[in-house]
Amino acid sequence: MLVKWMRCTVSDRRGFERAQRKWAGLLGEPGFRGQGGGWSRSTPETVHIFGFWDSRAFYDSFMARSHDRLQSAQVGTYSDLRTSLFEYRFDVKTGFRPEFSGADLLRVAHCTVREDRIDHYTLMQEKVWNPAMAGSPGMVRGVFAQAGSEDEFLVLSMWDTATERGKYRTERVERLAFRAQTGADITAIDGDVIDLEPEWTIEARQSDDPDLSML
């Protein structure tokens, strides 16, 4: 499964939001699984959007055929667009589906990892960070994904409320980072907390098979 992360600075909020709803045209695109996002809590003019596709081939086909038509309505409403693509590695919480139901808040963490520490970083994500996040009552679902450059990773988690995420965050993160030796693994980290906009959510009908490990 391909995970697409888009972020931009919005100059015309009303125009951007109106045009964002037109992305419902993604429904029916071969390989499209879901898309959603919202506004940054730290910089209110920043938007983050996350999209999910069955494969890079389906995504590339969409970009070549339909993307420009859907995107044209938003031209002039934003600047500084950055787009990154990642391949699904594993769930942060068992049973991940590319949907946003039940979530009010998104947390994205983007890490650049030392080449000789990639295996260790990935193992610690699976054995230390994931169980801690999955055990937090407010954590709905999440995904761990890796960029084609191999040293960049994305952790996207979905939370039911900011209050519940705050319970996970307080003091616990420092202890987990020490245990996972995160400081020795990464060379750079950035991220954001995002208030989900329900009207931007677009979800294709999912199959009955919850196992995404083969995608």
Side-chain angles (χ1 to χ4, degrees), residues 61 73 87 110 175 195:
S61 176
E87 289 287 345
H110 174 222
R175 295 198 303 271
D195 285 316

Side-chain angles (χ1 to χ4, degrees), residues 19-37:
Q20 187 62 35
R21 300 184 187 102
K22 295 183 182 296
W23 286 95
L26 285 165
L27 292 173
E29 285 289 338
F32 172 73
R33 301 294 296 274
Q35 181 170 288

Side-chain angles (χ1 to χ4, degrees), residues 8-199:
C8 63
T9 302
V10 174
S11 54
D12 175 4
R13 183 164 181 145
R14 179 176 295 182
F16 182 90
E17 289 182 320
R18 183 171 57 249
Q20 187 62 35
R21 300 184 187 102
K22 295 183 182 296
W23 286 95
L26 285 165
L27 292 173
E29 285 289 338
F32 172 73
R33 301 294 296 274
Q35 181 170 288
W39 298 94
S40 165
R41 286 198 156 201
S42 60
T43 51
E45 70 278 8
T46 298
V47 159
H48 296 267
I49 304 290
F50 301 91
F52 301 92
W53 294 80
D54 279 338
S55 69
R56 180 64 185 264
F58 281 121
Y59 170 74
D60 286 343
S61 176
F62 160 73
M63 292 296 293
R65 293 181 296 98
S66 307
H67 174 270
D68 290 353
R69 172 176 54 81
L70 293 174
Q71 185 265 347
S72 62
Q74 277 181 317
V75 171
T77 65
Y78 65 88
S79 61
D80 303 323
L81 176 67
R82 291 173 289 166
T83 299
S84 304
L85 300 176
F86 301 83
E87 289 287 345
Y88 167 92
R89 288 290 304 273
F90 47 76
D91 298 353
V92 174
K93 189 172 187 176
T94 303
F96 177 79
R97 286 184 179 275
E99 60 186 39
F100 297 83
S101 58
D104 288 330
L105 193 80
L106 308 177
R107 174 69 171 95
V108 59
H110 174 222
C111 295
T112 303
V113 179
R114 292 181 173 86
E115 185 176 354
D116 61 339
R117 302 282 293 187
I118 288 175
D119 289 344
H120 180 267
Y121 170 80
T122 303
L123 180 65
M124 291 300 99
Q125 181 66 41
E126 187 173 12
K127 301 299 185 182
V128 176
W129 290 102
N130 283 14
M133 294 175 72
S136 299
M139 206 283 223
V140 179
R141 65 184 67 86
V143 63
F144 178 75
Q146 184 175 14
S149 61
E150 296 188 352
D151 65 345
E152 288 185 63
F153 294 84
L154 182 81
V155 182
L156 174 64
S157 55
M158 305 181 187
W159 301 78
D160 58 5
T161 65
T163 301
E164 289 298 333
R165 183 186 172 272
K167 293 177 183 177
Y168 162 78
R169 183 181 180 186
T170 305
E171 296 183 357
R172 197 174 183 188
V173 171
E174 290 186 4
R175 295 198 303 271
L176 292 170
F178 178 79
R179 180 182 171 193
Q181 302 176 32
T182 302
D185 289 345
I186 64 173
T187 59
I189 182 171
D190 66 320
D192 212 344
V193 178
I194 304 131
D195 285 316
L196 188 67
E197 285 284 351
E199 291 185 350

